[in-house]
Every structure is written in C-alpha cells, then in structure tokens.
Amino acid sequence: MAGKSSVQVAKKRKGGGSQWHKNQGNKSGIETGDWGVFVSCDLGKESKCMPEAVDLFSQSVEPTNDDGHDDKSDSDEDDIEAQIRKEVEGLKPSARKSRPFQAIKMDLPCLSFIRFDKAIDPEKLVYQLCTEAATNPEKKRSRYIQRMTPAISIRKTLSVDLEAFAREILKPHFHSGGGPKKYAIRPMVRSNKKFNRDIVIKTVADVVGPEHPVDLKNYDLIILVTVIQNIIGMSVAGSDYDSLKRYNLAELYNPAPAPEATTEPAKPAEPAESAEPTKA
C-alpha cells in the first residue's frame, strides 16, 4: 500500500502537478497596472469566448507587409538570407516575444479578461472593432463575444485611492485644456463590498469637477468604471458609445431589422378637430 501511494504521488508530481500549475498560471489573475478588455458572453460559453477574443484582437493588430516598395532589388538573396536568420532566431526560446494578448479566466460566470500588451491601446482597438461591425454588420467576425469593456488601467480595490486613480485616468480628457465637456458615468459593480454605484459616481464626479456638466443622454464623453470582485478598471468612451450598442459586438452584428413599409392604401384624411373652443 505504501509503495502504491508513493507511485501515485510521483505521478501527480510529474503529470497532474504540472497541469495544475499550468492552470494556476492561467488563473494568475489581474494585477495592478494591467490594462485590457473585459469580455462578456452567454453562460457556459466562456471557454469558447476567450480564444475567440484573443484571435479577433490578434487579427486586428497584425502588421501589414506594405512598405511602399513594389520593385525587387538586386539584393533579394541577401534579404532572403536575412529573413531566414531572423526566423531561426525567433525559434529560440530566449528570443520568443511575449504574447500581446492573454486570456484570464475570472471566478464569475459569463465574464473574462483579456490582458493587453502595453503597446496596444484597448480603448482604440475596441472602438475600431465596434465601428467596423456597425458599418459592415454582414461581415461577422465573432460568434461568442458580447460586450467588450476596455480598461485603460487596473487597480486592486483594497488598496486603491479611487479619487487619485480617477484623476490619473481622467486628466487627459477633462483637465488638459479645452472647454467644458458634457459627460456621463456608467459604473458596473459586481461582487464587491467596498464600492457601490453611489460611491463610484460621487467620487468620479467630484474629480471631473463642476465646470463640466452632467448629461446622461447627450454626453461628449462617458466614463466607464468596472468594479469586479477585488479589482477596479476605468476608461473613457466617446459620444457614440450608446449608438455602438455599448460596445456589444453581438448586437452590432445582428442589428434590429428595419420596420417593413406598409402596403395598405392610404386612407383619406379626416378633417382636423379645432383645438380652439367653438364660439356661440
């Protein structure tokens, strides 16, 4: 019995243990200073949504080979050799570049986080994808992704100074010159006891300042605050956020059908009743 137990322990250390650590690595979580996109999906589709989101983001930032030169030079052979050397170097473990996108599974259903490399702006990329979907909804590029909420920076809620955090994120938009801007605040709070909607809205509004008027419908900028468990993220979107279905890619690819034109013959107009009382 003792020998059998020792064999089982050894197997766990060789196989199951490494897989456990691999899974834990994928669940390493969101850290202070990260930025990226929260992605929602239907219940039970998280494992399909995460790789789809990574693929979609990766395809959207792939560099083009158009360098403006159509002519072949006499040094083609040298270029080919240089390319081969570059590819060989790229195969070496020490030369492998870090992934620009990393999917992180969260402990909440229907939600995951895609961490971005700092060279890629999550606000701009999400906006690009949504405007493309709104312009060409027939060119559907995703099946499981629903709402995408960018976070230009992440903090831990236990240690964050919300006022200072908001001031850092909002300074380029509200405190770097220019006239007053109409704004709205759209918080999402889930599974967190430190912050609620009222606290978030009041703190962020105080940071924006009274010189900028609140307008919930006709805003110039909308501040997105995401509080989920022990993290808080923030970003700023433009005046077309709601017309872009709040960055819900599924709704952009499946817009509501336009109302059908009626085929009934027009009825003769009835005499309009006077709004003024009749005189005797």
Side-chain angles (χ1 to χ4, degrees), residues 129-141 252-253 255:
L129 289 168
C130 290
T131 51
E132 289 174 356
T135 305
N136 300 293
E138 72 282 357
K139 296 181 179 179
K140 190 172 182 179
R141 299 178 62 190
L252 289 168
Y253 281 132

Side-chain angles (χ1 to χ4, degrees), residues 6 27 33 48 64 77 80 83 110 135 163-164 166 169 202 213-214 221-222 227 244-245:
S6 61
K27 280 183 63 180
K48 295 181 178 180
T64 61
E77 292 184 1
I80 293 173
Q83 182 65 27
C110 308
T135 305
E163 180 179 346
I169 302 301
K202 183 181 185 306
V214 175
L221 297 171
I222 185 165
V227 182
L244 289 174
K245 306 299 184 183

Side-chain angles (χ1 to χ4, degrees), residues 61-79:
V61 298
E62 284 180 353
T64 61
N65 293 325
D66 184 11
D67 57 1
H69 298 285
D70 297 327
D71 299 334
K72 291 185 177 180
S73 65
D74 295 335
S75 59
D76 281 347
E77 292 184 1
D78 294 337
D79 292 341

Side-chain angles (χ1 to χ4, degrees), residues 30-34 152-161 164-165 168-169 226 228 230-234:
I30 309 168
E31 301 296 336
T32 292
D34 283 348
I152 203 68
S153 190
I154 296 285
R155 296 289 186 275
K156 293 297 180 86
T157 57
L158 290 177
S159 58
V160 69
D161 180 336
F165 181 43
E168 173 189 333
I169 302 301
T226 305
I228 300 177
N230 67 333
I231 59 172
I232 179 170
M234 197 176 303

Side-chain angles (χ1 to χ4, degrees), residues 37-109:
V37 177
F38 294 97
V39 180
S40 69
C41 63
D42 285 332
L43 182 64
K45 302 298 183 181
E46 297 87 353
S47 61
K48 295 181 178 180
C49 178
M50 288 191 293
E52 180 182 77
V54 170
D55 287 344
L56 179 62
F57 293 150
S58 299
Q59 293 168 13
S60 300
V61 298
E62 284 180 353
T64 61
N65 293 325
D66 184 11
D67 57 1
H69 298 285
D70 297 327
D71 299 334
K72 291 185 177 180
S73 65
D74 295 335
S75 59
D76 281 347
E77 292 184 1
D78 294 337
D79 292 341
I80 293 173
E81 291 180 1
Q83 182 65 27
I84 292 174
R85 286 196 299 271
K86 184 177 180 181
E87 291 178 357
V88 171
E89 288 295 324
L91 294 175
K92 296 179 181 180
S94 60
R96 289 176 184 170
K97 296 181 179 179
S98 60
R99 293 173 292 175
F101 305 102
Q102 181 183 6
I104 299 177
K105 184 178 180 181
M106 304 189 68
D107 293 330
L108 285 174

